[in-house]
């Protein structure tokens, strides 16, 4: 019985000490496989968005939810990685597909 109590305390201390332990309380910030309004529901962009268009699409999507967006790597590739910010705290990390308009949480 004593060993069980010690193990429970250690597990609780490890869980609480992690900074990301409570990252997704409630609904997730980015539902699995969501999409931006600039492309159709099934990834029907006519061509790959420019970096500026993708940044604007992400800003529009997350401002409606009350979040900010900080793009990490604006490289020339198809995917953009971005941090979703709420009150100065990262609440999600996503990848955005500039060809289809799809976004997925990778946090």
């Amino acid at each position: 019985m004593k060993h069980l109590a010690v193990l429970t305390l250690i597990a609780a201390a490890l869980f609480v000490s992690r900074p990301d332990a409570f990252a997704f309380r409630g609904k997730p910030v980015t539902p699995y496989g969501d999409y931006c309004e600039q492309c159709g529901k099934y990834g029907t962009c006519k061509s790959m968005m420019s970096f500026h268009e993708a940044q604007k699409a992400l800003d529009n999507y997350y401002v409606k939810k009350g979040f900010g967006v900080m793009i990490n790597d604006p490289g020339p590739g198809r995917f953009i990685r971005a941090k979703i910010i709420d009150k100065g705290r990262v609440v999600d990390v996503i990848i955005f597909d500039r060809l289809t308009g799809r976004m997925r949480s990778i946090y």
Side-chain angles (χ1 to χ4, degrees), residues 84-95:
I84 309 307
I85 311 294
D86 182 29
K87 300 174 187 152
R89 187 173 69 103
V90 176
V91 292
D92 203 354
V93 179
I94 63 140
I95 55 170

Side-chain angles (χ1 to χ4, degrees), residues 39 45 47-52 54-55 74-80 96-102:
C39 294
C45 290
S47 61
M48 186 156 51
M49 292 182 203
S50 68
F51 172 74
H52 180 70
Q55 184 177 22
R78 175 176 167 178
F79 297 96
I80 293 175
F96 179 76
D97 185 340
R98 296 189 313 149
L99 184 60
T100 66
R102 293 292 229 183

Side-chain angles (χ1 to χ4, degrees), residues 6 18 21 24 27 39 42 47 59 67 71 83 94:
V6 171
R18 289 187 46 199
F24 285 119
K27 288 186 173 182
C39 294
Y42 299 103
S47 61
D59 285 339
F67 299 109
I71 295 178
K83 292 179 181 177
I94 63 140

Side-chain angles (χ1 to χ4, degrees), residues 23-88:
F24 285 119
R25 293 168 76 174
K27 288 186 173 182
V29 174
T30 307
Y32 181 78
D34 212 358
Y35 60 93
C36 76
E37 294 176 357
Q38 285 186 328
C39 294
K41 191 171 189 172
Y42 299 103
T44 56
C45 290
K46 293 179 180 159
S47 61
M48 186 156 51
M49 292 182 203
S50 68
F51 172 74
H52 180 70
E53 291 170 328
Q55 184 177 22
K56 189 174 179 181
L58 287 170
D59 285 339
N60 289 339
Y61 178 87
Y62 285 103
V63 163
K64 291 177 184 176
K65 294 182 169 210
F67 299 109
V69 178
M70 183 172 57
I71 295 178
N72 294 12
D73 52 4
R78 175 176 167 178
F79 297 96
I80 293 175
R81 183 178 169 156
K83 292 179 181 177
I84 309 307
I85 311 294
D86 182 29
K87 300 174 187 152

